[in-house]
């Protein structure tokens, strides 16, 4: 899932950059004498052996022109060479040169396929701190995520987890459909001439529960299957939506009981009042939870 991969990359970008920076710094010659293209390519081969994934290495000169072929060590060959191309406008080149350190760009689609990849650019300096080259490495996003996080979304566990959520969501959808059916049926068969509103309240409760389950399914699909998470949010949207719908259903039930006992048994009206108090406590607790979590976000 492309969206989920991008979300995971955003969460682990600092870890990925630190890991790649360490590997590149340990293998690439920098701030030393006699740095040439041959030595750099040999170092790139060593880096490729450590990455153990699809990767493409190429070297840019200090002006941003590619001076080497695209070397795919994992495939033992050259692929789609762009030797001589001006890449001085690429963000990874400009950032690496400006910051004078390794730079990891954001994911972008490849030129010849739709697979997302990232580029790691590392400036190479002479002993006199003069810019000589910029070594670039294109890595597939899915490969780098697997390397950094073994429990990545493309792992076996990740796929099983998404499948499980999908099956559970479909089951809940069937439950919501059944509740909706009985809720509508209860309204249709109600004899309104008897002035009995209890059936209407019961139907409303069933329809509200059906809506709550649909909200739950929607949240599961967005967060667990599609991987759409709200930025800078620690609130569980699933829990908040579901509890809100449950509170509405309980409030309707309490209102129905108030009317029922007021007309039939006024002495027992204390029970729906207790239910209303419990609902008020639940609303206050939910509001406090939302307030505390949002406050924690603003303090970051």
């Amino acid at each position: 899932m492309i969206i989920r991969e991008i979300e995971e990359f955003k969460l682990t970008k600092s870890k990925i950059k630190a890991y790649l920076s360490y590997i590149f710094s340990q293998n690439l010659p920098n701030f030393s004498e006699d740095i040439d293209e041959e030595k750099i390519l040999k170092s790139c081969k060593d880096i490729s052996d450590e990455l153990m994934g699809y990767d493409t290495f190429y070297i840019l000169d200090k002006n941003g022109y590619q001076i080497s072929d695209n070397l795919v060590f994992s495939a033992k060959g050259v692929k789609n060479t762009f030797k001589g191309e001006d890449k001085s406008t690429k963000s990874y080149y400009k950032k690496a040169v400006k910051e004078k350190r390794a730079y990891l760009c954001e994911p972008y689609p490849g030129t010849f396929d739709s697979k997302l990849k990232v580029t790691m650019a590392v400036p190479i300096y002479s002993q006199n701190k003069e810019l000589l080259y910029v070594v670039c490495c294109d890595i597939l996003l899915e490969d780098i995520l697997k390397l950094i996080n073994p429990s990545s979304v493309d792992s076996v566990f990740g796929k099983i987890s998404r499948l499980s959520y999908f099956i559970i969501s479909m089951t809940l959808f069937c439950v919501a459909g059944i509740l909706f059916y009985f809720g509508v049926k209860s309204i249709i068969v109600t004899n309104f001439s008897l002035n009995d509103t209890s059936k209407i309240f019961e139907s409303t409760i069933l329809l509200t529960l059906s809506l709550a389950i649909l909200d739950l399914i929607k949240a599961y699909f967005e967060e667990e299957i599609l991987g759409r998470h709200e930025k800078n949010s620690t609130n569980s949207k699933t829990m908040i939506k579901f509890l809100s719908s449950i509170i509405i259903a309980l409030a309707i039930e309490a209102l129905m009981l108030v009317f029922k006992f007021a007309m039939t048994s006024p002495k027992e009206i204390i029970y729906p009042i207790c239910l209303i108090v419990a609902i008020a406590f639940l609303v206050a607790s939910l509001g406090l939870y939302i307030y505390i979590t949002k406050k924690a976000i603003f303090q970051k």
Side-chain angles (χ1 to χ4, degrees):
M1 300 293 293
I2 294 178
I3 296 176
R4 181 178 282 269
E5 288 177 352
I6 294 175
E7 290 289 341
E8 186 173 349
F9 175 80
K10 290 180 180 179
L11 294 174
T12 59
K13 183 178 180 180
S14 58
K15 186 190 298 185
I16 293 173
K17 183 179 178 181
Y19 176 75
L20 292 178
S21 297
Y22 173 77
I23 293 179
F24 276 73
S25 63
Q26 292 296 310
N27 290 277
L28 286 175
N30 214 341
F31 299 103
S32 60
E33 296 180 352
D34 302 327
I35 299 177
D36 55 28
E37 185 178 341
E38 184 178 350
K39 287 184 178 180
I40 294 176
L41 291 177
K42 183 179 181 301
S43 299
C44 291
K45 175 65 170 64
D46 296 334
I47 295 172
S48 178
D49 293 339
E50 292 194 44
L51 293 178
M52 297 177 63
Y54 178 91
D55 48 65
T56 304
F57 287 86
Y58 49 93
I59 304 174
L60 310 180
D61 64 14
K62 62 180 181 180
N63 296 316
Y65 286 90
Q66 185 169 334
I67 60 175
S68 72
D69 294 320
N70 284 7
L71 300 175
V72 185
F73 294 106
S74 57
K76 298 181 180 180
V78 178
K79 183 177 181 180
N80 302 322
T81 180
F82 292 96
K83 192 173 183 179
E85 182 179 355
D86 181 10
K87 295 191 175 182
S88 60
T89 59
K90 300 294 185 181
S91 63
Y92 50 82
Y93 167 80
K94 293 191 290 186
K95 287 284 188 179
V97 173
K98 181 180 179 181
E99 298 178 4
K100 297 182 179 181
R101 59 180 180 178
Y103 175 76
L104 180 65
C105 74
E106 297 295 326
Y108 62 94
T111 305
F112 298 97
D113 54 42
S114 59
K115 291 185 177 181
L116 292 178
K117 62 181 180 180
V118 295
T119 297
M120 182 73 172
V122 181
I124 303 297
Y125 293 91
S126 66
Q127 194 174 20
N128 298 325
K129 297 183 179 181
E130 294 180 359
L131 179 63
L132 298 177
Y133 309 100
V134 176
V135 178
C136 300
C137 177
D138 297 340
I139 311 172
L140 288 179
L141 180 59
E142 59 184 22
D143 285 342
I144 197 63
L145 289 178
K146 290 177 184 178
L147 186 65
I148 295 297
N149 186 7
S151 61
S152 173
V153 294
D154 284 326
S155 65
V156 175
F157 177 78
K159 293 178 180 178
I160 293 176
S161 177
R162 291 203 305 274
L163 179 61
S164 300
Y165 275 113
F166 178 79
I167 294 174
I168 293 172
S169 297
M170 290 299 98
T171 305
L172 287 174
F173 183 79
C174 293
V175 173
I178 294 172
L179 290 174
F180 178 80
Y181 168 76
F182 282 106
V184 174
K185 181 181 178 181
S186 179
I187 294 176
I188 294 175
V189 300
T190 298
N191 188 355
F192 294 101
S193 61
L194 298 178
N195 295 323
D196 184 10
T197 59
S198 61
K199 292 293 183 181
I200 298 178
F201 281 111
E202 291 176 3
S203 300
T204 305
I205 292 172
L206 291 175
L207 293 175
T208 304
L209 289 175
S210 176
L211 178 61
I213 294 175
L214 285 176
D215 275 339
L216 181 65
I217 296 170
K218 180 176 178 291
Y220 269 137
F221 258 92
E222 290 181 350
E223 295 182 4
E224 304 298 339
I225 299 176
L226 299 180
R228 295 175 181 172
H229 300 275
E230 293 183 3
K231 188 177 181 181
N232 297 328
S233 176
T234 58
N235 288 331
S236 174
K237 185 172 66 174
T238 304
M239 183 184 71
I240 293 174
K241 280 192 171 185
F242 185 71
L243 282 180
S244 299
S245 300
I246 293 299
I247 289 172
I248 294 173
L250 288 175
I252 295 172
E253 178 72 20
L255 183 62
M256 182 184 71
L257 291 175
V258 168
F259 289 145
K260 180 179 179 180
F261 287 122
M263 292 184 294
T264 59
S265 182
K267 293 181 180 180
E268 297 181 357
I269 201 171
I270 185 66
Y271 298 112
I273 292 177
C274 291
L275 180 58
I276 292 174
V277 173
I279 294 171
F281 177 77
L282 187 59
V283 172
S285 300
L286 182 60
L288 180 62
Y289 167 76
I290 296 174
Y291 170 77
I292 292 175
T293 51
K294 285 189 175 181
K295 185 178 180 180
I297 294 174
F298 291 135
Q299 289 178 348
K300 287 183 178 180

